[in-house]
Amino acid sequence: TIDYFRSFVADPYLFGRIAANHALSDLHAMLARPYSALALCSVPYGAENVVEEDLLHMLAGARRVLDEEDCALVGGHTSEGAEPSLGFALTGYVHPDGLTSTDLSGRDTCGPVGILYKGPVVPGHALILTKALGTGVVLAAAMPHRNFISCYEITDCYASMTQSNMLAARILAQFGCSACTDVTGFGFMGHLVEMVRHQHQKAAADEDGDDDEDDGVCRLLTAEQREAMASLPVARIHLSQVPLLPGALRCSNEHRVTSSLFGANHRSAQQIINLEDGAVADHPAFPILFDPQTSGGLLACIPRSHVDSVLESLRGAGYSRAAVIGEVLDSSETAAVVHEVLHGVSSSRADLNGCVFMTP
């Protein structure tokens, strides 16, 4: 896997830690063990001693994180640019059939655990988020021309971004996680839609079977389409249960702060089948669902019978804001939602595959 982005903090050591954690999360979300890393660095033009000092601190921060996870920094490439940037090309390994699982001390145990995939999600399972949302809006609000964030709030944000997802992934795997992804640049909604989509299932076609491109006419969903919808997984999210970083709600609502990727991420709102419900679209937490996350947490699908044990283990491991934020509806629940919500809805309103239903 590979990840790379420009610095948003003045401290190169802190930036190195965040960049390494962010890159490693792709591996943790699959339950892969990091093996090696190649660094891709860009440092601002300047005196040689200053450039070397910045590079030293960036890589020292990254090395701290990589060393903690037994991931060797084996090389890389450095260039000069307008601003500091850092990324990593990472190699990890995992046995597809799951030869061993790992307890919280890092020791191998005998339980078989394989790769964690984004899907398919399992109807009836709960959705758990291991970290609070809001890094994008908090960082945007902390920019010098805004300065809406307190020292406590930005420090809390940094702490979240420097927290590894390694232990969280192992805990989720131990309790029967059926699907998992890390929440990063596409925001919570973008990554949730990826999880809920079934790649091999297709929505029902129009009654006439016409496969031509949309002619611009908004057609109402047919009975056949609603029936097809009822056979697809639907995630129900409870907005009041979504954990948020301190300051994120205030800056999003009072100061109308958004991150640069918010507009692009907001396109995933078309998958919310009850978006017209004012209690949803006007909910204070709603905009933060589209906030791009840096080194965000894991979004996982867990059997409901294991939820209490999972939350207890996550919080005991330091994921204090881990929470159940929704569930994947079973067939009877989906049918009820379709009957209640989708009558009179346009077929251009949303893809039938990968839909989300929200409650305040």
Side-chain angles (χ1 to χ4, degrees):
T1 181
I2 187 169
D3 234 308
Y4 181 86
F5 51 83
R6 65 191 186 198
S7 179
F8 44 81
V9 294
D11 182 351
Y13 181 82
L14 176 61
F15 178 53
R17 291 180 62 196
I18 294 171
N21 263 313
H22 182 88
L24 286 164
S25 287
D26 282 339
L27 295 178
H28 296 321
M30 294 188 69
L31 205 63
R33 295 190 182 186
Y35 178 71
S36 65
L38 291 168
L40 305 167
C41 310
S42 179
V43 289
Y45 302 105
E48 185 174 342
N49 62 323
V50 175
V51 170
E52 289 180 352
E53 186 78 4
D54 286 346
L55 181 60
L56 172 66
H57 287 296
M58 267 203 306
L59 292 181
R63 273 291 304 272
R64 172 180 169 180
V65 172
L66 295 172
D67 289 349
E68 288 173 351
E69 303 200 12
D70 295 324
C71 182
L73 182 60
V74 297
H77 178 76
T78 305
S79 62
E80 289 183 299
E83 55 190 347
S85 301
L86 180 62
F88 296 92
L90 293 161
T91 299
Y93 62 91
V94 61
H95 196 285
D97 298 324
L99 294 182
T100 60
S101 69
T102 310
D103 66 18
L104 299 186
S105 66
R107 297 172 298 183
D108 288 340
T109 58
C110 60
V113 177
I115 300 174
L116 293 180
Y117 293 101
K118 289 183 181 180
V121 293
V122 177
H125 280 200
L127 292 168
I128 288 181
L129 186 61
T130 63
K131 289 186 187 182
L133 302 178
T135 62
V137 68
V138 169
L139 291 172
M143 296 177 71
H145 67 283
R146 294 192 178 111
N147 199 24
F148 297 140
I149 287 292
S150 70
C151 291
Y152 158 72
E153 290 165 342
I154 193 63
T155 299
D156 198 300
C157 181
Y158 290 156
S160 179
M161 292 188 291
T162 53
Q163 184 178 31
S164 171
N165 283 321
M166 178 179 66
L167 290 182
R170 293 176 179 178
I171 291 169
L172 295 169
Q174 289 172 356
F175 288 98
C177 177
S178 56
C180 184
T181 188
D182 58 328
V183 181
T184 51
F186 293 131
F188 171 83
M189 264 299 297
H191 291 286
L192 174 64
V193 169
E194 283 185 331
M195 286 183 70
V196 177
R197 286 186 188 277
H198 273 195
Q199 296 174 347
H200 301 297
Q201 286 184 296
K202 302 296 183 183
D206 290 339
E207 281 186 328
D208 58 7
D210 188 2
D211 291 329
D212 292 340
E213 292 188 6
D214 191 349
D215 57 7
V217 177
C218 290
R219 302 183 179 87
L220 295 181
L221 291 176
T222 64
E224 289 79 5
Q225 285 177 310
R226 291 195 296 272
E227 183 178 350
M229 172 71 205
S231 69
L232 297 171
V234 173
R236 178 167 56 198
I237 301 300
H238 308 292
L239 289 168
S240 61
Q241 297 177 15
V242 176
L244 304 175
L245 287 172
L249 202 62
R250 186 188 75 254
C251 292
S252 175
N253 287 268
E254 294 181 17
H255 301 293
R256 303 297 180 185
V257 175
T258 59
S259 183
S260 57
L261 295 177
F262 175 85
N265 289 352
H266 195 268
R267 289 197 291 265
S268 60
Q270 67 181 341
Q271 297 305 118
I272 301 172
I273 58 178
N274 61 329
L275 184 61
E276 285 80 5
D277 184 347
V280 171
D282 296 334
H283 193 282
F286 184 74
I288 303 177
L289 302 182
F290 310 96
D291 186 51
Q293 303 301 288
T294 298
S295 192
L298 300 179
L299 176 60
C301 194
I302 295 288
R304 288 182 181 177
S305 58
H306 294 163
V307 162
D308 291 340
S309 298
V310 170
L311 290 180
E312 181 181 1
S313 297
L314 285 171
R315 290 166 182 167
Y319 302 93
S320 59
R321 295 191 176 102
V324 177
I325 48 87
E327 55 275 327
V328 182
L329 301 182
D330 60 30
S331 57
S332 61
E333 292 172 316
T334 300
V337 167
V338 169
H339 177 76
E340 177 184 353
V341 177
L342 290 186
H343 286 281
V345 173
S346 166
S347 61
S348 64
R349 177 71 184 79
D351 292 340
L352 297 182
N353 192 9
C355 283
V356 178
F357 178 72
M358 292 196 175
T359 64

